[in-house]
Short mmCIF file of all heavy atoms in Angstrom, two decimals:
data_model
loop_
_atom_site.label_atom_id
_atom_site.label_comp_id
_atom_site.label_asym_id
_atom_site.label_seq_id
_atom_site.Cartn_x
_atom_site.Cartn_y
_atom_site.Cartn_z
N GLN G 552 -4.79 -10.77 17.76
CA GLN G 552 -3.46 -11.48 17.73
C GLN G 552 -3.16 -12.00 16.30
O GLN G 552 -4.10 -12.22 15.54
CB GLN G 552 -3.45 -12.67 18.67
CG GLN G 552 -3.44 -12.25 20.11
CD GLN G 552 -3.32 -13.33 21.13
OE1 GLN G 552 -3.55 -14.61 20.79
NE2 GLN G 552 -2.97 -13.04 22.35
N PRO G 553 -1.89 -12.19 16.07
CA PRO G 553 -1.51 -12.77 14.72
C PRO G 553 -2.20 -14.10 14.52
O PRO G 553 -2.33 -14.91 15.54
CB PRO G 553 -0.01 -12.94 14.79
CG PRO G 553 0.32 -11.84 15.77
CD PRO G 553 -0.74 -11.70 16.81
N GLY G 554 -2.68 -14.33 13.33
CA GLY G 554 -3.55 -15.52 13.01
C GLY G 554 -4.98 -15.41 13.31
O GLY G 554 -5.73 -16.33 12.93
N GLY G 555 -5.45 -14.32 13.91
CA GLY G 555 -6.81 -14.14 14.22
C GLY G 555 -7.60 -13.54 13.03
O GLY G 555 -7.12 -13.36 11.89
N SER G 556 -8.89 -13.22 13.32
CA SER G 556 -9.72 -12.74 12.33
C SER G 556 -10.66 -11.49 12.80
O SER G 556 -10.73 -11.37 13.96
CB SER G 556 -10.81 -13.91 11.88
OG SER G 556 -10.17 -14.95 11.39
N LEU G 557 -10.97 -10.75 11.83
CA LEU G 557 -11.86 -9.68 12.07
C LEU G 557 -12.75 -9.48 10.87
O LEU G 557 -12.43 -9.78 9.70
CB LEU G 557 -11.13 -8.31 12.23
CG LEU G 557 -10.36 -8.09 13.59
CD1 LEU G 557 -9.48 -6.83 13.49
CD2 LEU G 557 -11.35 -7.95 14.71
N ARG G 558 -13.85 -8.87 11.03
CA ARG G 558 -14.86 -8.62 10.05
C ARG G 558 -15.22 -7.13 10.03
O ARG G 558 -15.87 -6.69 11.07
CB ARG G 558 -16.10 -9.44 10.09
CG ARG G 558 -17.02 -9.33 8.78
CD ARG G 558 -18.33 -9.86 9.13
NE ARG G 558 -19.17 -10.08 7.95
CZ ARG G 558 -20.49 -10.15 7.94
NH1 ARG G 558 -21.21 -9.94 9.05
NH2 ARG G 558 -21.26 -10.33 6.85
N LEU G 559 -14.79 -6.37 9.04
CA LEU G 559 -15.18 -4.94 8.94
C LEU G 559 -16.53 -4.83 8.19
O LEU G 559 -16.72 -5.56 7.19
CB LEU G 559 -13.99 -4.19 8.24
CG LEU G 559 -12.61 -4.45 8.80
CD1 LEU G 559 -11.63 -3.52 7.97
CD2 LEU G 559 -12.50 -4.12 10.23
N SER G 560 -17.20 -3.81 8.57
CA SER G 560 -18.42 -3.50 7.87
C SER G 560 -18.37 -2.01 7.46
O SER G 560 -17.79 -1.12 8.19
CB SER G 560 -19.68 -3.68 8.78
OG SER G 560 -19.76 -5.07 9.14
N CYS G 561 -19.06 -1.67 6.38
CA CYS G 561 -19.14 -0.28 6.02
C CYS G 561 -20.53 -0.04 5.53
O CYS G 561 -20.97 -0.63 4.48
CB CYS G 561 -18.20 0.04 4.92
SG CYS G 561 -18.47 1.71 4.11
N ALA G 562 -21.34 0.74 6.28
CA ALA G 562 -22.72 0.99 5.99
C ALA G 562 -22.88 2.36 5.23
O ALA G 562 -22.36 3.38 5.79
CB ALA G 562 -23.56 1.02 7.28
N ALA G 563 -23.52 2.29 4.08
CA ALA G 563 -23.62 3.53 3.30
C ALA G 563 -25.05 4.08 3.40
O ALA G 563 -25.98 3.32 3.47
CB ALA G 563 -23.27 3.20 1.85
N SER G 564 -25.15 5.42 3.29
CA SER G 564 -26.38 6.06 3.23
C SER G 564 -26.25 7.30 2.35
O SER G 564 -25.14 7.83 2.18
CB SER G 564 -26.90 6.45 4.64
OG SER G 564 -25.99 7.32 5.20
N GLY G 565 -27.39 7.71 1.76
CA GLY G 565 -27.40 8.89 0.86
C GLY G 565 -26.89 8.65 -0.57
O GLY G 565 -26.54 9.60 -1.20
N ILE G 566 -26.69 7.38 -0.86
CA ILE G 566 -26.15 7.10 -2.19
C ILE G 566 -26.86 5.73 -2.72
O ILE G 566 -27.31 5.06 -1.94
CB ILE G 566 -24.59 6.78 -2.08
CG1 ILE G 566 -23.96 6.75 -3.50
CG2 ILE G 566 -24.24 5.61 -1.29
CD1 ILE G 566 -22.43 6.76 -3.45
N SER G 567 -26.95 5.73 -4.05
CA SER G 567 -27.61 4.49 -4.60
C SER G 567 -26.50 3.37 -4.61
O SER G 567 -25.88 3.15 -5.64
CB SER G 567 -28.09 4.77 -6.06
OG SER G 567 -29.07 5.76 -6.04
N PHE G 568 -26.34 2.78 -3.45
CA PHE G 568 -25.29 1.85 -3.20
C PHE G 568 -25.09 0.81 -4.24
O PHE G 568 -24.01 0.47 -4.76
CB PHE G 568 -25.48 1.25 -1.77
CG PHE G 568 -24.47 0.19 -1.34
CD1 PHE G 568 -23.35 0.68 -0.77
CD2 PHE G 568 -24.76 -1.16 -1.50
CE1 PHE G 568 -22.38 -0.29 -0.38
CE2 PHE G 568 -23.85 -2.14 -1.08
CZ PHE G 568 -22.62 -1.61 -0.52
N ARG G 569 -26.24 0.25 -4.64
CA ARG G 569 -26.20 -0.98 -5.53
C ARG G 569 -25.56 -0.59 -6.94
O ARG G 569 -25.24 -1.51 -7.72
CB ARG G 569 -27.60 -1.55 -5.77
CG ARG G 569 -28.63 -0.61 -6.40
CD ARG G 569 -29.99 -1.12 -6.50
NE ARG G 569 -30.90 -0.17 -7.06
CZ ARG G 569 -31.10 -0.03 -8.40
NH1 ARG G 569 -30.35 -0.70 -9.25
NH2 ARG G 569 -31.86 0.87 -8.81
N LEU G 570 -25.53 0.72 -7.25
CA LEU G 570 -25.06 1.09 -8.60
C LEU G 570 -23.53 1.18 -8.75
O LEU G 570 -22.98 1.19 -9.86
CB LEU G 570 -25.66 2.45 -8.99
CG LEU G 570 -27.16 2.53 -9.12
CD1 LEU G 570 -27.60 3.96 -9.54
CD2 LEU G 570 -27.68 1.55 -10.12
N TYR G 571 -22.77 1.12 -7.62
CA TYR G 571 -21.38 1.38 -7.64
C TYR G 571 -20.50 0.22 -7.10
O TYR G 571 -20.92 -0.49 -6.14
CB TYR G 571 -21.14 2.63 -6.75
CG TYR G 571 -21.88 3.75 -7.26
CD1 TYR G 571 -22.96 4.32 -6.53
CD2 TYR G 571 -21.63 4.42 -8.42
CE1 TYR G 571 -23.61 5.41 -6.96
CE2 TYR G 571 -22.28 5.49 -8.89
CZ TYR G 571 -23.31 5.97 -8.14
OH TYR G 571 -24.05 7.08 -8.61
N ALA G 572 -19.33 0.06 -7.72
CA ALA G 572 -18.36 -0.67 -7.07
C ALA G 572 -17.91 -0.11 -5.85
O ALA G 572 -17.88 1.14 -5.59
CB ALA G 572 -17.18 -0.88 -8.04
N MET G 573 -17.35 -0.96 -4.85
CA MET G 573 -16.92 -0.51 -3.58
C MET G 573 -15.50 -1.09 -3.29
O MET G 573 -15.24 -2.21 -3.80
CB MET G 573 -17.89 -1.00 -2.49
CG MET G 573 -19.30 -0.41 -2.53
SD MET G 573 -19.32 1.39 -2.22
CE MET G 573 -18.73 1.39 -0.52
N ASP G 574 -14.76 -0.27 -2.59
CA ASP G 574 -13.45 -0.67 -2.33
C ASP G 574 -13.15 -0.67 -0.84
O ASP G 574 -13.80 0.10 -0.12
CB ASP G 574 -12.40 0.34 -2.89
CG ASP G 574 -12.58 0.56 -4.40
OD1 ASP G 574 -12.66 -0.37 -5.23
OD2 ASP G 574 -12.70 1.75 -4.79
N TRP G 575 -12.20 -1.43 -0.41
CA TRP G 575 -11.52 -1.21 0.92
C TRP G 575 -10.03 -0.80 0.66
O TRP G 575 -9.29 -1.51 -0.19
CB TRP G 575 -11.61 -2.48 1.69
CG TRP G 575 -12.81 -2.80 2.37
CD1 TRP G 575 -13.82 -3.66 1.86
CD2 TRP G 575 -13.34 -2.25 3.61
NE1 TRP G 575 -14.92 -3.66 2.74
CE2 TRP G 575 -14.62 -2.77 3.82
CE3 TRP G 575 -12.85 -1.37 4.48
CZ2 TRP G 575 -15.47 -2.53 4.92
CZ3 TRP G 575 -13.73 -0.99 5.63
CH2 TRP G 575 -14.95 -1.62 5.79
N TYR G 576 -9.65 0.20 1.31
CA TYR G 576 -8.28 0.65 1.34
C TYR G 576 -7.73 0.51 2.72
O TYR G 576 -8.51 0.43 3.63
CB TYR G 576 -8.17 2.10 0.82
CG TYR G 576 -8.23 2.48 -0.62
CD1 TYR G 576 -9.52 2.44 -1.27
CD2 TYR G 576 -7.14 2.78 -1.34
CE1 TYR G 576 -9.63 2.65 -2.59
CE2 TYR G 576 -7.24 3.09 -2.73
CZ TYR G 576 -8.39 3.03 -3.30
OH TYR G 576 -8.58 3.31 -4.69
N ARG G 577 -6.42 0.58 2.79
CA ARG G 577 -5.79 0.70 4.12
C ARG G 577 -4.63 1.67 4.08
O ARG G 577 -4.00 1.82 3.02
CB ARG G 577 -5.40 -0.68 4.65
CG ARG G 577 -4.35 -1.36 3.91
CD ARG G 577 -4.06 -2.76 4.42
NE ARG G 577 -2.97 -3.46 3.68
CZ ARG G 577 -2.69 -4.72 3.83
NH1 ARG G 577 -3.33 -5.50 4.81
NH2 ARG G 577 -1.76 -5.33 3.15
N GLN G 578 -4.31 2.23 5.28
CA GLN G 578 -3.10 3.07 5.29
C GLN G 578 -2.45 2.87 6.66
O GLN G 578 -3.03 3.05 7.73
CB GLN G 578 -3.49 4.57 5.19
CG GLN G 578 -2.37 5.50 5.10
CD GLN G 578 -2.81 6.88 4.60
OE1 GLN G 578 -3.92 7.30 4.78
NE2 GLN G 578 -1.86 7.65 4.06
N ALA G 579 -1.18 2.41 6.60
CA ALA G 579 -0.30 2.27 7.76
C ALA G 579 0.46 3.61 7.89
O ALA G 579 0.65 4.38 7.02
CB ALA G 579 0.65 1.18 7.57
N PRO G 580 0.94 3.86 9.14
CA PRO G 580 1.71 5.16 9.38
C PRO G 580 2.88 5.23 8.49
O PRO G 580 3.66 4.25 8.31
CB PRO G 580 2.14 4.96 10.91
CG PRO G 580 1.11 4.06 11.46
CD PRO G 580 0.73 3.12 10.40
N GLY G 581 3.08 6.41 7.88
CA GLY G 581 4.16 6.71 6.96
C GLY G 581 4.16 6.03 5.71
O GLY G 581 5.10 6.09 4.88
N VAL G 582 3.02 5.35 5.41
CA VAL G 582 2.88 4.63 4.10
C VAL G 582 1.69 5.16 3.26
O VAL G 582 0.66 5.62 3.82
CB VAL G 582 2.59 3.15 4.40
CG1 VAL G 582 2.47 2.26 3.09
CG2 VAL G 582 3.78 2.56 5.18
N GLN G 583 1.78 5.23 1.91
CA GLN G 583 0.69 5.65 1.16
C GLN G 583 -0.47 4.72 1.18
O GLN G 583 -0.34 3.53 1.46
CB GLN G 583 1.25 5.61 -0.31
CG GLN G 583 0.28 6.30 -1.27
CD GLN G 583 0.86 6.48 -2.69
OE1 GLN G 583 2.10 6.12 -2.92
NE2 GLN G 583 0.19 7.11 -3.56
N ARG G 584 -1.64 5.33 1.16
CA ARG G 584 -2.92 4.42 1.23
C ARG G 584 -2.95 3.57 0.03
O ARG G 584 -2.61 3.96 -1.11
CB ARG G 584 -4.09 5.44 1.13
CG ARG G 584 -5.44 4.78 1.47
CD ARG G 584 -6.54 5.72 1.56
NE ARG G 584 -6.40 6.67 2.73
CZ ARG G 584 -7.32 7.51 3.05
NH1 ARG G 584 -8.45 7.56 2.46
NH2 ARG G 584 -7.13 8.38 4.09
N GLU G 585 -3.32 2.30 0.38
CA GLU G 585 -3.30 1.22 -0.78
C GLU G 585 -4.63 0.61 -0.81
O GLU G 585 -5.34 0.36 0.17
CB GLU G 585 -2.17 0.17 -0.50
CG GLU G 585 -2.38 -0.62 0.70
CD GLU G 585 -1.40 -1.81 0.80
OE1 GLU G 585 -0.59 -1.97 -0.09
OE2 GLU G 585 -1.40 -2.44 1.91
N LEU G 586 -4.87 0.13 -2.11
CA LEU G 586 -6.14 -0.53 -2.31
C LEU G 586 -6.00 -2.00 -1.95
O LEU G 586 -5.08 -2.62 -2.34
CB LEU G 586 -6.53 -0.49 -3.86
CG LEU G 586 -7.70 -1.15 -4.37
CD1 LEU G 586 -9.03 -0.60 -3.68
CD2 LEU G 586 -7.80 -1.05 -5.79
N VAL G 587 -6.92 -2.48 -1.18
CA VAL G 587 -6.92 -3.85 -0.62
C VAL G 587 -7.78 -4.71 -1.37
O VAL G 587 -7.39 -5.83 -1.78
CB VAL G 587 -7.23 -3.82 0.85
CG1 VAL G 587 -7.39 -5.33 1.35
CG2 VAL G 587 -6.29 -3.06 1.70
#
């Protein structure tokens, strides 16, 4: 519901995770993907 909270997780494998910056993007219908 509006005003609520969620926690997203992204588990990586097969990559030296600690060496890289990480991003979250989002894409709504009919809208270009954007960096969050």
